[in-house]
Amino acid sequence: MERIYYDSKTGNVERFMQKVTDLTGWTAQQIHPDMEVKHEGHLVTYTTRFGEVPETTKNFLQYASSYLLSVSSSGNRNWGRNFAMAGEKIANEYGIPLALKFELSGTNEDVNEFIAIIKARNYGNKRRGKELDFAQ
């Protein structure tokens, strides 16, 4: 059973996570400042401003990054090269594999691709380098 930690501001990531949990039964927890992280999982976040990582996600990463097996991010393709850039920035700064970048709340194809990527990885060896890098 996979665990997903997510950050959502406008509801797009939350809707994406609802689709994922409806299909898989995985556990999804929205991050908040006083949450305690005790289990490994995957992070899904959004991109804010001009390709930036949200402050709430940055704060979460300060105490939970060692528990994260992958990161995925939402964005808007209208931002060009800054599309879903938060995931790339987190991957680079924390060495967490980038799993998927998707637009807004994701299409059904995005949801199925995310599920397939997460299911296909062997997480017995924590932080297995960049081999999870399937991001588009």
Side-chain angles (χ1 to χ4, degrees):
M1 172 89 57
E2 299 292 343
R3 180 177 302 272
I4 314 291
Y5 301 103
Y6 72 94
D7 198 359
S8 186
K9 181 178 181 179
T10 63
N12 284 325
V13 173
E14 188 169 19
R15 283 188 293 279
F16 180 82
M17 290 313 312
Q18 187 62 54
K19 295 175 205 175
V20 169
T21 58
D22 285 351
L23 290 170
T24 63
W26 294 346
T27 300
Q29 285 182 273
Q30 186 163 7
I31 64 174
H32 54 85
D34 58 347
M35 80 182 292
E36 197 171 328
V37 177
K38 295 182 179 180
H39 305 282
E40 288 184 335
H42 307 272
L43 174 63
V44 180
T45 191
Y46 62 96
T47 301
T48 191
R49 297 184 297 277
F50 300 100
E52 297 301 315
V53 177
E55 286 300 317
T56 47
T57 301
K58 286 181 185 178
N59 294 338
F60 175 76
L61 286 162
Q62 288 179 358
Y63 63 88
S65 64
S66 64
Y67 289 93
L68 300 177
L69 300 167
S70 75
V71 61
S72 296
S73 59
S74 173
N76 188 318
R77 292 192 191 279
N78 290 342
W79 290 104
R81 65 181 182 90
N82 289 324
F83 166 67
M85 185 60 76
E88 290 183 40
K89 289 182 175 182
I90 292 166
N92 290 333
E93 185 173 341
Y94 292 91
I96 300 168
L98 179 61
L100 183 70
K101 292 168 48 174
F102 59 95
E103 189 167 24
L104 304 173
S105 61
T107 63
N108 288 338
E109 183 178 318
D110 294 330
V111 170
N112 290 328
E113 184 175 2
F114 176 79
I115 293 167
I117 289 168
I118 299 304
K119 281 183 175 180
R121 298 295 122 209
N122 176 1
Y123 297 108
N125 180 5
K126 190 173 180 180
R127 300 237 183 161
R128 297 167 49 104
K130 294 289 183 182
E131 66 187 61
L132 192 65
D133 193 356
F134 284 84
Q136 299 179 25

